[in-house]
């Protein structure tokens, strides 16, 4: 919001509904050293953009006042902001470490952004509440006509509580489900998202691993609608909750400007809609693609063990991909029996256990990891010089062109990289 030379890293959640960028920008608090500010008014302004006055700084979004010192803890920063006042004049502005209280940097000015993305003016809240009440009455009558008295009572109770919270503190849990009323949008109209905070003529959108990202962007609207439908049908939310949604794929394309799809295995959409395709022959590591060898499936395990002994002599590691979780566990056990330190990696291991297995592979405690479908995108293991894909010619998702190429790529970080496809 304050400069253009910015890189924003976001997940596909960037297409979810967010607050109105105009409200967010207009409700910032800009402070400069030497400026005269009424301290009571500053406290009220902070409360107005959803900062709580509290001594508990663990979650951020709080401030406290100690004599002539204001301390503000924005939820989007790792440090706090300390304002030193002399009467109503700001003498000093510093950033500081909340843990050891040490000053990090002296500042001439600071902009404090709202603590929550859904903030709006008091006038908009009053206007929204009238519309919420109208929709509530309509929906309650509809539910009662269908004989859904429990759902009707539940909806009235919940919505009335939310309206009381909005009128008293300007915020309520789940406020995003009323965003259509605050934004003045019609039912079904495109919501504001993170992408609307930027001028589409001035920024480029990169979609990394686009063969996964593009289908995700296309599927999120229907998944969200399906979940919201149950909440609306059973009286947990007003129908306005449908408009707190991710963008449809065609809306996303209209919201962003130039797009660069990045993938080793681009999908049909990228191939059909790209005006220019650039092939990266030599990677940033300076390495070319690994050698790929096709070997018959007969005695595939014995062949892998022989190759693995050569890899061990070079103090390098290997990955093996099989078709089932049971096969991964059995092959891992067998490799340990023949003197090759191995562990399996599949979806029944939780996130911490998976990280631990990969750490062991990198430090040499484990020489081989046997997996099913987790040894793909994003796995960067320079120590791995051998990737073996068992039963590579079997049909199905786990052996599709995209999956095979992504798995092969795990050997592309090592100059000795080699891939064995066991197939007939």
């Amino acid at each position: 919001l304050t400069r253009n030379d910015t890189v924003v890293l976001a997940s596909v959640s960037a297409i979810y509904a967010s607050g109105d960028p105009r409200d967010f920008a207009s409700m910032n608090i800009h402070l400069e050293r030497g400026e005269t500010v009424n301290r009571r008014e500053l406290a009220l302004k902070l409360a107005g953009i959803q900062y709580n006055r509290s001594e508990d700084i663990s979650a951020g979004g709080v401030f406290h006042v100690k004599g002539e010192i204001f301390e503000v803890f924005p939820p989007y920063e790792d440090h706090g902001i300390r304002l030193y006042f002399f009467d109503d004049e700001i003498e000093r502005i510093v950033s500081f470490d909340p843990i050891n209280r040490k000053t990090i940097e002296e500042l001439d000015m600071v902009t404090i952004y709202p603590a929550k993305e859904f903030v709006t003016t008091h006038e908009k809240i009053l206007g929204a509440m009238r519309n919420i009440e109208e929709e509530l009455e309509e929906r309650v009558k509809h539910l009662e006509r269908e004989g859904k008295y429990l759902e009707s009572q539940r909806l009235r109770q919940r919505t009335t509580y939310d309206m009381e919270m909005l009128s008293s503190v300007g915020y309520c849990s789940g406020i995003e489900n009323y965003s259509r009323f605050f934004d003045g949008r019609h039912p079904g109209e495109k919501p504001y998202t993170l992408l609307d905070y930027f001028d589409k003529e001035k920024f480029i959108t990169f979609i990394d691993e686009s063969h996964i990202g593009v289908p995700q962007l296309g599927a999120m609207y229907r998944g969200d609608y399906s979940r919201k439908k149950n909440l609306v049908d059973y009286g947990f939310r007003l129908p306005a909750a449908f408009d707190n949604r991710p963008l449809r794929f065609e809306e996303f394309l209209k919201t962003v400007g130039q797009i660069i799809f990045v993938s080793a295995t681009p999908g049909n959409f990228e191939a059909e809609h790209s005006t220019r395709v650039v092939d990266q022959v030599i990677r940033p590591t300076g390495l070319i693609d690994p050698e790929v060898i096709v070997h018959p499936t007969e005695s595939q395990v014995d062949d892998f063990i022989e190759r693995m002994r050569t890899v061990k002599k070079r103090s390098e590691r290997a990955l093996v991909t099989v078709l089932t979780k049971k096969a991964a566990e059995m092959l891992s056990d067998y490799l340990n029996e023949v003197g090759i330190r191995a562990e399996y990696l599949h979806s029944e291991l939780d996130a911490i256990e998976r990280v631990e297995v990969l750490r062991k592979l990198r430090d040499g405690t484990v020489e081989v990891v046997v997996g099913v479908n987790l040894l793909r995108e994003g796995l960067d293991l320079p120590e791995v010089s051998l990737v073996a894909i068992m039963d590579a010619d079997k049909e199905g998702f786990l052996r599709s062109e995209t999956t095979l190429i992504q798995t092969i790529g795990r050997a592309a970080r090592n100059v000795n990289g080699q891939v064995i496809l066991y197939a007939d």
Side-chain angles (χ1 to χ4, degrees):
L1 292 175
T2 53
R3 52 196 289 179
N4 285 326
D5 56 338
T6 309
V7 176
V8 178
L9 300 177
S11 69
V12 289
S13 298
I15 69 167
Y16 259 92
S18 183
D20 187 334
R22 293 166 299 184
D23 287 344
F24 194 88
S26 66
M27 297 186 76
N28 300 333
I29 299 175
H30 187 73
L31 301 169
E32 295 186 21
R33 194 171 59 189
E35 185 180 354
T36 300
V37 178
N38 183 291
R39 283 179 283 166
R40 186 172 182 281
E41 287 180 7
L42 176 59
L44 289 170
K45 279 185 180 178
L46 287 167
I49 58 173
Q50 302 305 316
Y51 282 81
N52 297 317
R53 188 166 183 171
S54 169
E55 293 296 320
D56 178 17
I57 64 170
S58 57
V62 300
F63 72 97
H64 47 238
V65 184
K66 297 178 178 178
E68 295 192 324
I69 297 175
F70 260 76
E71 291 186 340
V72 185
F73 300 89
Y76 51 84
E77 297 281 16
D78 294 326
H79 58 260
I81 304 293
R82 187 182 292 140
L83 308 168
Y84 293 88
F85 279 86
F86 180 75
D87 196 18
D88 282 344
E89 183 184 335
I90 300 175
E91 277 196 319
R92 286 176 69 202
I93 305 174
V94 302
S95 59
F96 70 99
D97 188 314
I99 305 300
N100 62 27
R101 318 290 293 171
K102 287 185 178 176
T103 297
I104 299 171
E105 187 181 4
E106 292 274 349
L107 304 169
D108 291 323
M109 64 181 71
V110 67
T111 300
I112 300 172
Y113 295 98
K116 297 182 171 73
E117 59 182 311
F118 284 95
V119 290
T120 190
T121 61
H122 185 64
E123 292 73 22
K124 280 193 175 183
I125 290 173
L126 292 176
M129 283 176 62
R130 286 192 293 271
N131 294 328
I132 293 170
E133 199 162 4
E134 285 175 16
E135 182 158 305
L136 173 63
E137 294 306 322
E138 284 178 25
R139 184 63 182 168
V140 163
K141 287 175 185 173
H142 175 78
L143 291 171
E144 288 175 350
R145 280 198 303 271
E146 292 187 343
K148 295 182 176 180
Y149 296 104
L150 176 63
E151 288 83 350
S152 165
Q153 169 63 19
R154 179 188 291 142
L155 182 64
R156 184 180 290 281
Q157 189 173 348
R158 178 163 198 156
T159 309
T160 303
Y161 174 76
D162 286 347
M163 289 169 65
E164 288 172 0
M165 289 294 291
L166 284 168
S167 63
S168 56
V169 297
Y171 190 80
C172 70
S173 178
I175 188 174
E176 61 275 9
N177 291 298
Y178 304 112
S179 58
R180 167 159 66 82
F181 301 118
F182 295 117
D183 298 343
R185 289 185 281 123
H186 298 295
E189 198 175 330
K190 181 181 90 70
Y192 291 112
T193 66
L194 177 67
L195 303 170
D196 291 301
Y197 283 69
F198 308 95
D199 182 350
K200 77 174 190 176
E201 303 300 327
K202 292 182 180 177
F203 79 99
I204 300 175
T205 303
F206 286 80
I207 302 181
D208 194 23
E209 304 293 6
S210 62
H211 63 284
I212 293 175
V214 168
Q216 264 189 321
L217 290 166
M220 285 177 75
Y221 171 76
R222 289 187 179 278
D224 182 78
Y225 180 86
S226 175
R227 185 174 61 84
K228 294 274 175 56
K229 191 171 188 311
N230 282 334
L231 293 176
V232 172
D233 287 350
Y234 290 97
F236 289 98
R237 286 292 174 197
L238 290 173
F242 285 129
D243 293 300
N244 168 41
R245 61 173 176 85
L247 298 178
R248 297 183 180 92
F249 189 61
E250 57 274 17
E251 291 172 336
F252 166 76
L253 293 177
K254 289 176 183 174
T255 305
V256 297
Q258 186 179 353
I259 303 178
I260 297 180
F261 301 104
V262 184
S263 175
T265 52
N268 293 335
F269 179 86
E270 297 95 305
E272 291 166 8
H273 291 81
S274 295
T275 54
R276 184 182 300 178
V277 178
V278 177
D279 193 10
Q280 188 182 48
V281 179
I282 299 179
R283 299 159 186 270
T285 52
L287 303 178
I288 56 173
D289 285 344
E291 180 186 12
V292 179
I293 299 167
V294 180
H295 190 280
T297 55
E298 187 179 353
S299 305
Q300 59 184 1
V301 175
D302 292 336
D303 180 77
F304 169 73
I305 290 170
E306 282 304 309
R307 294 176 189 274
M308 187 58 216
R309 297 198 195 285
T310 307
V311 169
K312 276 183 71 169
K313 288 175 187 173
R314 299 199 302 258
S315 298
E316 292 170 350
R317 323 278 190 273
L319 300 175
V320 184
T321 301
V322 295
L323 283 167
T324 66
K325 289 185 272 193
K326 187 66 178 172
E329 293 173 12
M330 290 171 63
L331 180 55
S332 172
D333 290 343
Y334 181 69
L335 291 173
N336 280 303
E337 287 173 16
V338 298
I340 296 172
R341 299 190 301 276
E343 286 203 21
Y344 60 84
L345 185 75
H346 57 57
S347 59
E348 287 183 17
L349 272 63
D350 63 36
I352 294 173
E353 290 173 311
R354 293 179 203 172
V355 171
E356 183 62 17
V357 169
L358 295 174
R359 186 192 62 76
K360 287 179 182 177
L361 182 71
R362 295 205 64 176
D363 67 19
T365 310
V366 170
E367 296 163 327
V368 179
V369 169
V370 187
V372 182
N373 193 37
L374 296 173
L375 305 175
R376 291 177 50 191
E377 296 89 352
L379 207 59
D380 190 1
L381 302 165
E383 296 82 4
V384 171
S385 65
L386 178 64
V387 171
I389 302 176
M390 302 296 181
D391 303 303
D393 54 353
K394 291 283 191 291
E395 290 187 23
F397 168 72
L398 293 177
R399 294 293 179 265
S400 67
E401 182 184 355
T402 295
T403 306
L404 287 175
I405 292 173
Q406 288 293 340
T407 308
I408 285 167
R410 298 318 101 201
R413 311 294 199 274
N414 191 298
V415 71
N416 298 315
Q418 196 176 65
V419 180
I420 315 297
L421 300 179
Y422 291 102
D424 296 321

